[in-house]
Amino acid sequence: MQYRSTRGGVRGWDFQDVLFSGYAPDGGMFMPESLPLLSPDTLRGWRGLTYTKLVVEVASLFIPFQLIPREDLEVGEALSGFSLPEVVRIARLKEGLSVLELFHGDTLAFKDLAMTCTVRFLDYFLRKQNRRATVLVGTSGDTGGSAIHSAKGLCGLEVVVVYPRGRITPVQEKHMITCLEDNVHVFAADGSSDDIDQPLRCLFADQELVRSHGLMSLNSVNWSRVMIQLAHFIYAYLELSGMEQAEAKGELPELEVVVPTGGAGNIAAGYIVKQMGLPLKLVAMVNSNDIVHRTVTSGDFSMAANVTQTLAPAIDIQDPYNMERVFWLLLGRDGATVKSMLEEFQQSHRHSLLENHRKLLSQVLSTGTVSDEGILETMRRCWEENQYVLCPHSAVAVWHHYHCPHNPGINRCYIATASPAKFQAAVQRAGLTFDLPKAVLVLDKLATRYQNLERSPNWCKDWEDRLREKIQSVSSVRKNKGTYYS
């Protein structure tokens, strides 16, 4: 299994290469050169596996045993800290409303699943090769906390996280700024998550900086994050598609999966699994930051003038960077076309899809957009009918259940990406109550530590310089400490 860039300039890298990278050197994103196919027999053989065992099966398709032997690929220990022994859970509610809960990790968000496994892979190589790395993460709310809690205390890994001050919830913020481990460095920026991405792209484009300081990403730019997320969709399919009842007909049934979408990492994972042969109908639901919806419905792949702050802040994103992976697969792995499209988008923040490309996209992805009022309405209705509290992001997905006719021949699954405990203000605005877990209540009593990135006339360059200085300083301290293990 080898990997190439979506923009065609890099190919022949192995899993370890792409794990310790951010964007590819040509600015693209890494994808497997070819995708393994999931046969009906393979899927039948996986029925009944725990989520943890299924993750191992999926990872083994993309990580050769020569790089990580099967016994070292086991992720049970990495996922052992989740509040549920089974790690994930399906809430089967009234009228066919099935919600896949992916938020039972340390930071109460789905990011914990792929992040803990990815950090385990990183730690395996760092220990084996006695090396160190620096992780640089921009976050819209959940990724930063998940990266910090997965990597805190690892002496071979420095973690630098940047979050948009005032645009995330207090719990999201406290999951980051209350971590005082020496290898964690947090910056609060006066801007949106899309603003943060700009200096980060510049830093990852500096190949000398990347090489000399072991700079890498744990955003879903990193292929390993997306790879682990493939398991969400396969698990949902095995549990909810009704494939047992359809076996007599000889064909696999279709499952509709509805995903709250921001950076598009989850929906990209769903499309990859669909390309591997899983019969999925994919629906990407967005909030008022509706670029994915506009792209599918009208071909308008363009940023709005500003990122709108909504009740679902983790998907307040106007640059859904994982759509690059979707475009690459959709266009037959045409790196030159993807390069032209995405470079135009990055320079002008605008691109109009050709109509034949838009039609292709609309055939594999449906979309919808939900206002804040629609989020609150969905949260209230789900509680009234099921006594079940949704987080506002999960409500973006479940809105589809109440407003789009359900084909009785196709089962549906709604992805719940976060716990309502992280979004108390939205729960209160919906007129609901939720008992906070002790792990959230204790956050208010913890000390905090972070640095500011202030807005200035030349803010992008200023932020880049500040972050570059931090990366160089932590790398210097790391070198003075000597080897990974003493």
Side-chain angles (χ1 to χ4, degrees), residues 229-243:
Q229 287 170 190
L230 306 182
H232 307 345
F233 294 88
I234 300 172
Y235 181 85
Y237 185 85
L238 296 175
E239 292 291 323
L240 293 172
S241 67
M243 62 182 294

Side-chain angles (χ1 to χ4, degrees), residues 171-219:
V171 174
Q172 288 176 309
E173 184 174 45
K174 287 168 187 171
H175 273 145
M176 291 183 274
I177 65 175
T178 59
C179 186
L180 307 183
E181 298 282 354
D182 288 344
N183 71 322
V184 172
H185 316 274
V186 179
F187 288 84
D190 290 331
S192 69
S193 59
D194 286 345
D195 291 336
I196 289 167
D197 282 342
Q198 294 182 51
L200 266 57
R201 279 184 180 269
C202 293
L203 291 168
F204 280 115
D206 183 342
Q207 290 304 298
E208 175 57 27
L209 182 77
V210 171
R211 183 196 60 78
S212 60
H213 299 289
L215 191 63
M216 58 167 293
S217 172
L218 277 180
N219 287 82

Side-chain angles (χ1 to χ4, degrees), residues 1 11 17 82 85 91 97 113 115 130 151 175 183 188 207 246-248 257 260 305 307 337-338 345 361 375 407 456:
M1 177 63 69
R11 62 185 306 163
D17 294 330
F82 281 59
L97 175 55
L113 291 164
M115 194 73 74
N130 196 29
H175 273 145
N183 71 322
Q207 290 304 298
E247 277 188 333
V257 184
V307 175
T337 298
V338 171
F345 176 74
L361 183 60
I375 290 172
N407 183 338
S456 67

Side-chain angles (χ1 to χ4, degrees), residues 104-351:
H104 295 287
D106 280 346
T107 70
L108 308 177
F110 83 100
K111 308 290 178 74
D112 293 332
L113 291 164
M115 194 73 74
T116 52
C117 296
T118 296
V119 169
R120 176 179 172 82
F121 301 148
L122 287 171
D123 194 45
Y124 171 82
F125 287 117
L126 293 172
R127 289 172 180 265
K128 184 178 179 180
Q129 299 167 6
N130 196 29
R131 60 182 286 199
R132 299 171 181 274
T134 300
V135 170
L136 177 60
V137 173
T139 182
S140 58
D142 288 332
T143 300
S146 183
I148 287 169
H149 282 262
S150 297
K152 64 182 181 182
L154 291 180
C155 57
L157 207 57
E158 300 287 340
V159 184
V160 180
V161 171
V162 191
Y163 73 90
R165 181 186 14 249
R167 293 173 179 258
I168 62 176
T169 71
V171 174
Q172 288 176 309
E173 184 174 45
K174 287 168 187 171
H175 273 145
M176 291 183 274
I177 65 175
T178 59
C179 186
L180 307 183
E181 298 282 354
D182 288 344
N183 71 322
V184 172
H185 316 274
V186 179
F187 288 84
D190 290 331
S192 69
S193 59
D194 286 345
D195 291 336
I196 289 167
D197 282 342
Q198 294 182 51
L200 266 57
R201 279 184 180 269
C202 293
L203 291 168
F204 280 115
D206 183 342
Q207 290 304 298
E208 175 57 27
L209 182 77
V210 171
R211 183 196 60 78
S212 60
H213 299 289
L215 191 63
M216 58 167 293
S217 172
L218 277 180
N219 287 82
S220 56
V221 168
N222 192 303
W223 161 251
S224 179
R225 285 274 313 280
V226 175
M227 175 189 74
I228 298 299
Q229 287 170 190
L230 306 182
H232 307 345
F233 294 88
I234 300 172
Y235 181 85
Y237 185 85
L238 296 175
E239 292 291 323
L240 293 172
S241 67
M243 62 182 294
E244 301 93 335
Q245 292 79 11
E247 277 188 333
K249 300 179 182 178
E251 293 184 0
L252 292 175
E254 192 173 41
L255 176 70
E256 184 175 52
V257 184
V258 185
V259 185
T261 299
N266 242 350
I267 206 67
Y271 185 46
I272 290 166
V273 171
K274 184 178 175 73
Q275 289 258 314
M276 293 168 65
L278 202 67
L280 296 180
K281 181 179 180 182
L282 297 171
V283 181
M285 296 297 296
V286 300
N287 59 22
S288 299
N289 298 285
D290 63 349
I291 181 170
V292 173
H293 177 63
R294 287 185 283 109
T295 302
V296 172
T297 56
S298 68
D300 179 22
F301 187 55
S302 303
M303 291 188 189
N306 296 291
V307 175
T308 301
Q309 291 184 257
T310 75
L311 293 175
I315 55 174
D316 286 349
I317 293 173
Q318 288 282 355
D319 182 0
Y321 49 85
N322 270 291
M323 286 300 291
E324 179 160 346
R325 288 182 162 117
V326 173
F327 293 147
W328 185 74
L329 290 171
L330 190 75
L331 301 179
R333 298 169 169 80
D334 183 350
T337 298
V338 171
K339 176 181 171 68
S340 176
M341 289 171 56
L342 272 297
E343 286 185 349
E344 177 187 346
F345 176 74
Q346 287 167 3
Q347 290 167 8
S348 67
H349 296 168
R350 304 188 65 81
H351 176 78

Side-chain angles (χ1 to χ4, degrees), residues 41 52 60 85 92 97 99 113 130 135 192 194 207 223 239 339 358 417 433 445 451 476:
D41 287 343
T52 300
S60 67
R92 300 172 191 262
L97 175 55
V99 178
L113 291 164
N130 196 29
V135 170
S192 69
D194 286 345
Q207 290 304 298
W223 161 251
E239 292 291 323
K339 176 181 171 68
R358 189 204 65 78
T417 54
T433 59
K445 302 175 183 178
Q451 299 178 55
S476 175

